[in-house]
Amino acid sequence: MDRISLLREVVRDLLMEGQVDGVLALRANGQSSTPHLFVPDDDLSELVLWPKYALPRTMDMLLAASPDVRLGMVTRGCEERGLIELAKRNQVDLGRIEMIGLACSEQERDQCRCAWPYPTHVQVGEQVEGIADALVAEHEKLSLEERTEFWRRQFERCIKCYACRTVCPQCFCEVCVLEDDKWVEAGVLAPQFPSYHLIRAYHTVSKCVGCMECEAACPADIPLTVLYTLLRQDAEEMFEYVPGRSVDDPPPLVVETMWQGV
Amino acid sequence: MEYKNVQTTCVYCGCGCGINLEVLDGKVVGSQPVKGHPISEGKLCVKGWNVHDFVYHPERLTTPLVRDGKGQALREATWEEALDLVASRLSQIKVESGPDAVGFFASAKCTNEENYLLQKLARAVVGTNNVDHCARL
């Protein structure tokens, strides 16, 4: 049975069991897809896999909207890792989520340049090996001066749409520092280099799970994940911390701050 | 609980980016881009990301508003009254000061068809070529 047919069966079974009030997944929309909460009696032939959207924050919103509800979710590797990081910061209750582990295909992995294209428990799909990000490897060959110039030129094209921040599954702050005039001047385009972008990049440390949604949403096609992946690699070296690896790994920056006696 | 995304077109400019309005239990709660859209390619500008905000905004106009005279406060009116007022005042201005005393401002927030009607109103009914775009205000 092919991957999508098996997934639809698994979702149907889960809905029929009555353990969840709905399953968050993707619904066909012409050639595209939209996030959708499938409920019992919904036509599951409309459940699709691509293009993907950042679903962890949507799950956060749904769980917050109704305190009693329990929901299933079709969960790729990055989405499971995203939920784990949100759970660590008390944004979602993993006990209210039934994850249906979906392994990404080779094409999906290649499109995301993904090193970890599968969740912990794969229920649907064949697990494939991750790949190293070729753009990151290219970038690592550059000198510091070349890198600074590279990012300066890239960020010159930023139109300050805030998409990278809005779409990020890890950005849950009700009041965002990037909207504070003290740090990012209102009414100025392009945002001053490097403040907006470094603040954003810094906030991904110990949180970014490599879902690539920021890069997909950037109207200026800025290769944001190259920067965030480099930071993720640094954080792994410094703190031995990998975002989304385990819900029991305490976020390093939080722990460090507390240890300083604050 | 009902959560779905309804695809529509952003109203804020003439680009026509695809936008998914997130609807939770019958209420619009957010926006998502439309991935693979031929125009917007799954991206949105800052206005598109926030287009859902005006739907329930307390300051959103829900009825026509008219003034009874210059300097008077705006008050609620019916569409009939408002349209009658516009028609009679434009006719009056055309007679008193000539058709070129009136300017018509089209908008990228309108459809091509609506803008076509507006310039037809300007040229064929009022009799002026003063047709421009609201961004030039």
Side-chain angles (χ1 to χ4, degrees):
Chain A
M1 190 186 285
D2 66 353
R3 189 170 63 138
I4 185 65
S5 305
L6 178 58
L7 178 63
R8 288 170 183 158
E9 257 196 34
V10 172
V11 171
R12 184 175 14 249
D13 290 344
L14 186 62
L15 286 171
M16 277 177 23
E17 273 169 38
Q19 298 275 341
V20 296
D21 300 289
V23 174
L24 182 60
L26 299 169
R27 183 167 179 248
N29 177 37
Q31 295 294 318
S32 183
S33 65
T34 64
H36 189 83
L37 186 70
F38 287 92
V39 293
D41 292 341
D42 267 351
D43 182 1
L44 288 175
S45 70
E46 295 185 335
L47 193 154
V48 293
L49 289 172
W50 202 261
K52 74 171 178 75
Y53 286 74
L55 294 181
R57 283 289 324 281
T58 310
M59 174 58 79
D60 180 5
M61 174 182 69
L62 296 179
L63 292 178
S66 187
D68 303 316
V69 85
R70 252 197 116 239
L71 297 174
M73 179 166 144
V74 174
T75 315
R76 296 173 187 274
C78 58
E79 290 167 320
E80 181 194 54
R81 296 194 295 279
L83 286 172
I84 285 172
E85 287 303 306
L86 283 173
K88 274 184 214 183
R89 295 167 175 85
N90 300 318
Q91 298 304 305
V92 294
D93 176 359
L94 291 178
R96 293 174 64 195
I97 305 171
E98 186 74 42
M99 294 192 222
I100 302 169
L102 173 75
C104 293
S105 69
E106 281 181 3
Q107 291 102 307
E108 290 161 359
R109 171 202 66 190
D110 291 345
Q111 199 147 341
C112 287
R113 313 192 309 270
C114 185
W116 201 351
Y118 46 82
T120 317
H121 302 290
V122 175
Q123 275 173 272
V124 179
E126 222 182 274
Q127 186 167 318
V128 298
E129 259 186 56
I131 52 169
D133 190 332
L135 291 188
V136 171
E138 274 303 304
H139 197 74
E140 280 177 313
K141 296 178 190 161
L142 301 177
S143 70
L144 182 60
E145 290 77 20
E146 284 170 326
R147 291 194 200 190
T148 310
E149 183 55 27
F150 175 87
W151 290 114
R152 195 190 56 75
R153 267 187 296 110
Q154 289 290 339
F155 289 132
E156 246 170 22
R157 299 183 289 114
C158 171
I159 61 166
K160 215 177 178 187
C161 68
Y162 284 87
C164 53
R165 186 280 318 261
T166 306
V167 85
C168 176
Q170 297 305 312
C171 278
F172 55 76
C173 292
E174 284 176 19
V175 179
C176 178
V177 66
L178 295 172
E179 292 179 33
D180 187 340
D181 206 34
K182 181 163 59 249
W183 304 108
V184 179
E185 202 180 339
V188 170
L189 275 186
Q192 185 179 22
F193 177 76
S195 53
Y196 175 101
H197 309 287
L198 277 196
I199 291 171
R200 171 100 241 296
Y202 182 79
H203 277 91
T204 70
V205 173
S206 85
K207 290 169 149 198
C208 174
V209 294
C211 72
M212 298 285 182
E213 293 296 326
C214 52
E215 205 171 279
C218 178
D221 289 326
I222 298 169
L224 296 164
T225 55
V226 170
L227 188 57
Y228 304 158
T229 301
L230 287 169
L231 285 168
R232 184 164 64 246
Q233 287 172 357
D234 281 352
E236 187 174 349
E237 257 180 60
M238 291 182 208
F239 307 112
E240 284 172 23
Y241 183 83
V242 176
R245 178 178 54 194
S246 164
V247 74
D248 300 316
D249 288 344
L253 299 177
V254 174
V255 172
E256 288 300 320
T257 305
M258 287 170 69
W259 181 78
Q260 292 296 323
V262 169
Chain B
M1 168 175 273
E2 195 209 10
Y3 170 79
K4 61 181 177 179
N5 277 244
V6 180
Q7 183 175 342
T8 183
T9 308
C10 181
V11 293
Y12 274 140
C13 86
C15 270
C17 293
I19 195 161
N20 278 314
L21 291 178
E22 295 183 280
V23 181
L24 177 60
D25 293 328
K27 212 171 177 249
V28 175
V29 293
S31 318
Q32 293 273 353
V34 174
K35 298 216 183 196
H37 193 272
I39 305 294
S40 52
E41 297 179 8
K43 301 153 200 288
L44 292 170
C45 78
V46 67
K47 290 171 97 166
W49 276 107
N50 294 293
V51 75
H52 61 279
D53 268 349
F54 74 68
V55 177
Y56 307 109
H57 199 282
E59 288 175 42
R60 183 179 174 183
L61 286 179
T62 53
T63 85
L65 300 173
V66 301
R67 286 182 214 280
D68 290 313
K70 203 162 178 170
Q72 305 242 12
L74 286 165
R75 60 159 178 87
E76 285 186 10
T78 62
W79 278 103
E80 295 249 338
E81 185 187 350
L83 288 171
D84 282 346
L85 181 67
V86 170
S88 66
R89 281 292 288 134
L90 280 180
S91 305
Q92 196 180 351
I93 290 166
K94 178 180 168 179
V95 163
E96 285 171 7
S97 315
D100 283 338
V102 187
F104 286 81
F105 290 87
S107 171
K109 291 196 273 297
C110 300
T111 63
N112 289 344
E113 288 76 10
E114 287 162 339
N115 284 321
Y116 176 82
L117 287 173
L118 185 79
Q119 63 85 34
K120 254 309 186 228
L121 182 72
R123 297 193 163 107
V125 177
V126 174
T128 178
N129 286 337
N130 293 345
V131 177
D132 211 303
H133 183 269
C134 62
R136 302 248 287 168
L137 255 173

